[in-house]
Amino acid sequence: MSALGSRVTRVAPWARRTEADTVLEIRGLCVDYGLGSGLHAVSNADLVLHRGEVLGLAGESGSGKSTLVYAATRLLRQPGVVTAGEVRLHSRPAGPDGPIEVIDLLAAGERELKGVRWSQISVVLQSALNALNPVITVRAEFDDVMKAHRPEMSRAERLARAVELLEMVGLSSDRLRNHAHELSGGQRQRVMIALALALEPQVVIMDEPTTALDVVTQREILEEVISLRDRLGFAMLFITHDLSLLIELADEIAVMYAGRMVERARADSLFAAPRHPYTYGLLNSFPPMHGERRAMTGIAGSPPDLRAVPGGCPFHPRCPYAIERCATEEPPLVALPGSSRQVACWLHTGGEPVPGELARTDATVASGEAALPTAAAVRRLPVTPGWGSGE
Amino acid sequence: MNSPCDRSDEDNPVMSTQPETAQAATARVPAPSGVLALEARHLTKHFAVRSAGGALRRRRHLHAVDDVSLGLARGAVTSVVGESGSGKSVLARMLARIIAPSAGELLLDGEPLALGQRRRHEYAAAVQLVLQDPFASMNPVHRVSHHLARPLLIHGTPRSDLDSAMKALLRRVALDPPEQFMDKFPHELSGGQLQRVSIARALAVRPGVLLADEPVSMLDVSIRLGVLNLLAELREQERLAILYITHDIASARYLADDILVMYAGEVVERAPSISLTDSPAHPYTQLLLSAAPDPGRRVSTTPADRGAPPRLIDPGPGCRFQPRCPHAMEICRRESPPVFDVAEGHQVACWLQAPASERRGLLTTKSQHAALRRLEPIRDKGVKEAKPP
């Protein structure tokens, strides 16, 4: 525990969020697939990740959530092209209290990127079986990473660190001798998470890490991830299509639709009082686990083809509240008065009367946005033994 | 749940408004109501596993499905819930007669079906299967019309009626106007539209039973409910018997009348869906429910589970969930639990639920009695914890 013990943050990182605590900043990012093709996978996306925060990025397939983070981390492959925007990493290479060094990721050269990747930003991919090399052992995976980024470490140190990391994610050290195919889906994903944390990055990006797993395994891994976040204090960008999962897991949630950011809010506010009709529709697409059964409708229609995104607001053909303006003008993502919530919808910014279900009172907003999330509100997955049934 | 979807009537013509097309289907005499459309008794499937030791070693068996009985009633949705590897898809394939069971029998409209005797063709006209991935279950080089025409022609629709029959099918699954979809290739449709086509294809033979194996898990969240509502509508309007297989217990609660929970090839609990999700009696069901994402949950719960996946190859005696079960008792390791009734229509296979009067009767040997006496306090505690307050 030597290396990790020193990094335990005494003060909860989210309790002292200020401007200086921004760690990853994405401004006006636009990504096309094929130059001049007109296929805009991401349009003018803004995203700010704070130190120690879990930011959820929710959206359906094709909404551009994975493209956004691949572009921001310079992992995007051809024919993906970044056409506009900036991405800045506010790095603290000397530790959480060290000086800030701003790195422009889109302008960075290969050398600079190599220094950032894995050691400052790491990515956990959805398919762990594809992400792990099938012909080498788990130990060799750890060795690869540490040889490349920490050449000063000796063989024994690397082994000790690999054992420590595996134990951290709840795997025994015998797993070091295994190849990827010998592990279950959940174990592979734990190895991926351990690898991602190997160099103590400041930002961990998780791209649908639990989508292929069973619910019970999914829950175990999420708990592991949250307790690691609490111990190590890294910031996490969690991408998923499962909004119901994010509400339990994330501090803040950004919702994407057709490559655009349509709403951003604190997780509990988003759940209790969604503002965008798409968010409202998504929340109503998950049948509840309690109470009376009632008919639900989901959202009519299907997500747009990115080659032919409807004009105006891209959601307007599916939106039950659409007004004339929605078909012609695209709403900007703006902060709602008196809060830090952001929404891109003419119903809220166009001076129109807002439908009741999109204007529910938001307790956290009403009590003043200065009220930072308390530990109780943030940690929605505490580790308590026992069964959940009777509670 | 009575009107899950409020589409207008013209979108969903009921069967009677259709041209009489499928002779093979109409020739079947409908069974009297009250008889289950499809019933499975003691269905079992063991797969032989080749062991590394060569031919001399004992043959081992993977117990994919063990002694599962279930009945599908007309106008009802029965859901099977379980993790991957629990045997739910093997069960669906046995019901569709794609996989031959190792043991057990099937009853179609109350008539026993000596396995392998009745012609597949006729059985396929009565029981249809819809698979999880609509992209993989359609031939990518053929148009939608081809996929719909094949079952219609094979099951005796005259060519002259083919066009109107296909259009009626597409309207039934709310793909309207049908002309827009007939000439499309699978890749030109979205996942939700394609899944509707595969449901339409299954309905072409006018089956009485629809088996849906994870029909929405590949679809985008916002369009899942549309497909679930379509299934609910088919149940209401056409009195189909539907088996809905899923790993998502919340959607089973939404759609199904009854839920069966499978673990390691066995049914561990069955109950009306509300009763099952509101008062789960089996520790595995409780684990599943506490692990499912639920934003509305007031108190955070954490499943206390560190267990490995169950051993399916030659499982030993005892309850298969026992290695992961926090309430495991000695008897759980020795003897697999029988089915106990805990409430009206609510059955569970767990020793914790053994009524006090039956506990001793079930155990015959002296040592078992002794063990039970030692376990008494644990058992009572377990029962208390397992039941809702």
Side-chain angles (χ1 to χ4, degrees):
Chain A
M1 277 312 299
S2 55
L4 289 167
S6 62
R7 286 293 292 272
V8 173
T9 34
R10 299 278 178 263
V11 184
W14 53 85
R16 48 181 174 86
R17 182 208 290 181
T18 62
E19 266 310 293
D21 277 335
T22 298
V23 60
L24 184 69
E25 190 185 359
I26 300 172
R27 297 276 176 214
L29 192 68
C30 296
V31 185
D32 285 7
Y33 278 110
L35 258 185
S37 66
L39 200 162
H40 305 297
V42 176
S43 306
N44 199 19
D46 286 346
L47 204 62
V48 177
L49 180 65
H50 297 101
R51 216 163 279 278
E53 178 187 59
V54 180
L55 174 61
L57 192 54
E60 296 178 89
S61 39
S63 62
K65 53 196 193 303
S66 296
T67 303
L68 171 71
V69 296
Y70 288 155
T73 48
R74 294 281 300 276
L75 292 168
L76 194 67
R77 285 195 189 165
Q78 290 292 348
V81 194
V82 177
T83 53
E86 43 194 302
V87 179
R88 279 189 294 267
L89 178 71
H90 298 248
S91 168
R92 287 177 192 263
D97 301 311
I100 294 179
E101 186 185 303
V102 179
I103 301 168
D104 183 347
L105 284 180
L106 293 185
E110 273 305 314
R111 224 188 139 80
E112 207 173 351
L113 277 179
K114 200 180 167 192
V116 170
R117 285 179 179 158
W118 221 309
S119 54
Q120 298 186 42
I121 299 186
S122 64
V123 184
V124 177
L125 297 162
Q126 175 175 358
S127 171
L129 188 58
N130 296 338
L132 291 171
N133 187 336
V135 298
I136 64 174
T137 60
V138 169
R139 180 175 174 183
E141 299 270 4
F142 281 100
D143 268 354
D144 268 1
V145 176
M146 286 183 272
K147 270 184 195 162
H149 291 272
R150 300 275 187 275
E152 71 283 358
M153 282 174 92
S154 72
R155 192 181 143 83
E157 280 172 338
R158 288 200 301 267
L159 177 63
R161 177 74 177 138
V163 170
E164 181 189 13
L165 285 162
L166 279 190
E167 275 167 6
M168 213 165 70
V169 296
L171 288 179
S172 85
S173 55
D174 340 327
R175 293 288 166 217
L176 284 174
R177 285 195 296 272
N178 289 137
H179 288 79
H181 72 270
E182 294 172 287
L183 306 174
S184 71
Q187 289 171 333
R188 275 178 218 140
Q189 207 53 270
R190 285 171 194 270
V191 170
M192 286 301 296
I193 292 167
L195 277 169
L197 299 177
L199 306 173
E200 298 173 41
Q202 298 166 45
V203 179
V204 178
I205 293 172
M206 304 234 171
D207 186 10
E208 309 241 13
T210 59
T211 304
L213 305 176
D214 280 319
V215 276
V216 178
T217 319
Q218 163 172 295
R219 167 104 0 194
E220 280 170 21
I221 288 186
L222 293 181
E223 270 160 24
E224 205 79 63
V225 163
I226 287 298
S227 74
L228 287 171
R229 193 280 308 255
D230 289 351
R231 267 169 58 195
L232 307 177
F234 52 83
M236 182 156 73
L237 187 55
F238 196 100
I239 306 173
T240 180
H241 66 277
D242 191 346
L243 190 57
S244 63
L245 191 70
L246 275 188
I247 285 162
E248 287 191 64
L249 173 81
D251 303 328
E252 290 237 4
I253 296 177
V255 182
M256 283 187 84
Y257 185 78
R260 289 142 178 93
M261 215 61 86
V262 295
E263 183 164 7
R264 183 185 165 139
R266 283 256 317 283
D268 43 3
S269 312
L270 192 91
F271 175 61
R275 292 286 183 260
H276 197 282
Y278 175 63
T279 316
Y280 179 73
L282 264 191
L283 287 168
N284 275 300
S285 298
F286 295 99
M289 210 64 111
H290 310 282
E292 281 287 295
R293 279 199 297 196
R294 58 188 176 86
M296 300 171 84
T297 48
I299 305 176
S302 40
D305 182 346
L306 287 176
R307 283 165 299 191
V309 175
C313 170
F315 186 61
H316 86 263
R318 300 176 78 186
C319 182
Y321 311 102
I323 50 175
E324 242 171 72
R325 194 176 183 183
C326 302
T328 52
E329 267 180 276
E330 191 178 333
L333 183 72
V334 291
L336 290 179
S339 80
S340 71
R341 305 182 58 144
Q342 293 175 309
V343 64
C345 180
W346 288 125
L347 291 172
H348 293 284
T349 47
E352 300 286 330
V354 184
E357 51 272 45
L358 302 179
R360 286 185 199 147
T361 37
D362 177 353
T364 53
V365 172
S367 65
E369 199 51 35
L372 285 163
T374 59
V378 172
R379 297 203 54 218
R380 266 167 295 269
L381 292 166
V383 185
T384 47
W387 292 93
S389 60
E391 291 161 347
Chain B
M1 277 305 292
N2 287 328
S3 58
C5 225
D6 33 22
R7 288 197 195 90
S8 62
D9 280 337
E10 59 206 45
D11 287 348
N12 301 289
V14 284
M15 277 181 111
S16 56
T17 64
Q18 274 195 333
E20 283 298 314
T21 47
Q23 272 90 2
T26 46
R28 238 183 16 251
V29 183
S33 57
V35 174
L36 293 170
L38 182 64
E39 193 181 351
R41 289 185 186 158
H42 311 293
L43 272 193
T44 298
K45 181 69 198 177
H46 293 175
F47 293 103
V49 182
R50 212 166 286 155
S51 49
L56 288 176
R57 272 183 64 170
R58 191 172 56 92
R59 253 225 141 113
R60 299 185 306 160
H61 288 95
L62 187 147
H63 294 223
V65 173
D66 254 342
D67 193 14
V68 171
S69 301
L70 65 92
L72 303 178
R74 246 169 280 279
V77 177
T78 308
S79 183
V80 173
V81 176
E83 292 176 80
S84 36
S86 61
K88 52 195 198 302
S89 290
V90 173
L91 177 67
R93 280 157 182 73
M94 281 198 284
L95 292 175
R97 296 188 69 192
I98 292 171
I99 294 178
S102 314
E105 59 173 345
L106 289 172
L107 285 82
L108 185 62
D109 291 331
E111 288 172 41
L113 198 75
L115 295 171
Q117 210 176 58
R118 191 158 169 175
R119 287 178 57 205
R120 271 204 65 85
H121 182 87
E122 275 174 61
Y123 190 79
V127 180
Q128 279 286 316
L129 177 67
V130 174
L131 294 164
Q132 175 174 9
D133 184 352
F135 292 94
S137 56
M138 297 269 162
N139 188 332
V141 302
H142 286 300
R143 296 174 197 276
V144 165
S145 54
H146 169 90
H147 292 98
L148 295 178
R150 264 180 70 79
L152 287 170
L153 290 172
I154 290 171
H155 288 270
T157 304
R159 279 198 181 271
S160 53
D161 298 341
L162 196 58
D163 198 57
S164 58
M166 290 197 293
K167 283 182 181 158
L169 279 174
L170 287 173
R171 282 201 202 94
R172 266 163 85 192
V173 296
L175 291 177
D176 217 14
E179 294 78 16
Q180 253 186 36
F181 298 94
M182 300 257 280
D183 291 330
K184 289 267 168 70
F185 284 101
H187 72 266
E188 294 176 287
L189 299 181
S190 71
Q193 290 169 336
L194 212 51
Q195 195 59 287
R196 285 171 190 270
V197 172
S198 61
I199 292 171
R201 176 174 64 174
L203 296 178
V205 300
R206 309 183 68 184
V209 180
L210 193 67
L211 310 170
D213 187 2
E214 302 257 18
V216 298
S217 58
M218 294 282 289
L219 307 181
D220 269 321
V221 173
S222 71
I223 53 186
R224 281 182 191 174
L225 271 176
V227 173
L228 290 183
N229 287 338
L230 172 68
L231 292 176
E233 219 167 276
L234 291 170
R235 162 186 61 188
E236 295 297 323
Q237 296 181 356
E238 312 196 357
R239 308 282 300 154
L240 277 180
I242 297 176
L243 179 73
Y244 173 60
I245 292 184
T246 184
H247 64 273
D248 177 9
I249 202 162
S251 72
R253 183 186 196 267
Y254 175 70
L255 179 66
D257 301 288
D258 291 293
I259 298 179
L260 279 72
V261 180
M262 279 187 81
Y263 184 77
E266 295 177 325
V267 172
V268 295
E269 186 165 5
R270 68 176 81 204
S273 51
I274 298 292
S275 154
L276 185 116
T277 49
D278 288 359
S279 47
H282 196 282
Y284 176 63
T285 314
Q286 295 168 358
L287 174 66
L288 262 190
L289 282 166
S290 62
D294 180 8
R297 181 159 28 213
R298 295 266 163 68
V299 186
S300 297
T301 56
T302 302
D305 173 65
R306 281 273 165 250
R311 207 176 98 201
L312 291 175
I313 298 176
D314 291 343
C319 170
R320 293 190 188 167
F321 185 61
Q322 166 268 121
R324 294 171 78 176
C325 183
H327 310 302
M329 306 174 289
E330 206 189 311
I331 189 165
C332 304
R333 280 181 270 279
R334 281 201 319 267
E335 235 181 290
S336 68
V339 173
F340 299 107
D341 283 307
V342 289
E344 172 98 39
H346 193 153
Q347 297 174 318
V348 60
C350 178
W351 284 116
L352 291 169
Q353 302 298 340
S357 56
E358 281 182 39
R359 282 177 197 170
R360 276 181 186 82
L362 286 164
L363 306 161
T364 46
T365 67
K366 229 175 178 177
S367 64
Q368 278 174 332
H369 277 296
L372 195 66
R373 266 195 299 280
R374 281 201 304 278
L375 289 167
E376 206 73 42
I378 308 169
R379 180 198 303 274
D380 287 339
K381 187 164 161 261
V383 173
K384 220 172 281 161
E385 278 176 14
K387 280 190 180 157

